[in-house]
Amino acid sequence: MSSSSLTHFDAQGQAHMVDVAGKPATRRVAVATGCIEMQAATLALIESGSAKKGDVLGVARIAGIQAAKKTSDLIPLCHPLALTRVAVEFAVGGADRPQVRCSATVETVGPTGVEMEALTAVQVALLTIYDMCKAVDRGMTIIGVRVLEKHGGKSGSYVAASPGAS
């Protein structure tokens, strides 16, 4: 893949913010997911609500929403977007590999997509879980962060293949 096929580089190979002024405003939706693996005792603390720093998943949800709104402050070439919806959800489980799975759905009506906002929401929500639980489990691991789907815009829809699908 050459740098000329990457939209964030101009003809001279210099990084630039993509001009989206000529693109129509359409409804854009992206869903991202990721997971944090941990010790069973750490997951039990989260589920019981007895973590020393408080409601881990509640705080992580707010952190993810806030991160989606601030993505353009964190990722240099992202456009600031007027988001119309950010939803951050968690699923806990995994007897053999205790974990918290996070998914973020982000929506806007505009000329560019919201994949980066969904990915940022997931990453920051998972980092918040790590921060709130690191006193009892420094070995937590964030894995599998990716875009599951995106809809809207000229390129249409994308739905990721299931992990392990051939």
Side-chain angles (χ1 to χ4, degrees):
M1 180 180 293
S2 70
S3 64
S4 63
S5 64
L6 299 174
T7 59
H8 286 84
F9 293 94
D10 64 18
Q12 293 76 40
Q14 301 296 312
H16 73 103
M17 189 175 205
V18 175
D19 182 359
V20 296
K23 295 172 72 177
T26 61
R27 181 174 178 258
R28 314 287 185 130
V29 180
V31 180
T33 190
C35 187
I36 186 167
E37 294 179 342
M38 62 193 63
Q39 297 172 9
T42 308
L43 184 60
L45 279 173
I46 291 170
E47 289 183 294
S48 71
S50 60
K52 189 173 184 178
K53 290 186 177 182
D55 177 8
V56 173
L57 299 183
V59 173
R61 178 175 289 106
I62 297 300
I65 293 167
Q66 187 174 7
K69 295 175 1 178
K70 293 291 193 178
T71 298
S72 66
D73 291 339
L74 300 169
I75 310 296
L77 302 178
C78 281
H79 293 83
L81 301 176
L83 302 180
T84 57
R85 177 174 176 247
V86 179
V88 176
E89 301 297 328
F90 299 101
V92 298
D96 54 332
R97 288 176 24 189
Q99 60 185 236
V100 176
R101 176 161 298 283
C102 176
S103 66
T105 302
V106 180
E107 297 184 32
T108 193
V109 175
T112 190
V114 288
E115 298 96 310
M116 295 305 298
E117 287 73 11
L119 287 165
T120 301
V122 167
Q123 289 281 37
V124 170
L126 294 174
L127 286 168
T128 299
I129 292 170
Y130 184 93
D131 179 54
M132 293 185 74
C133 297
K134 69 182 182 253
V136 296
D137 187 355
R138 294 206 184 269
M140 292 176 283
T141 305
I142 295 172
I143 61 167
V145 176
R146 67 189 188 122
V147 173
L148 286 180
E149 58 185 270
K150 67 120 318 308
H151 306 282
K154 183 176 149 185
S155 63
S157 292
Y158 164 80
V159 177
S162 297
S166 51

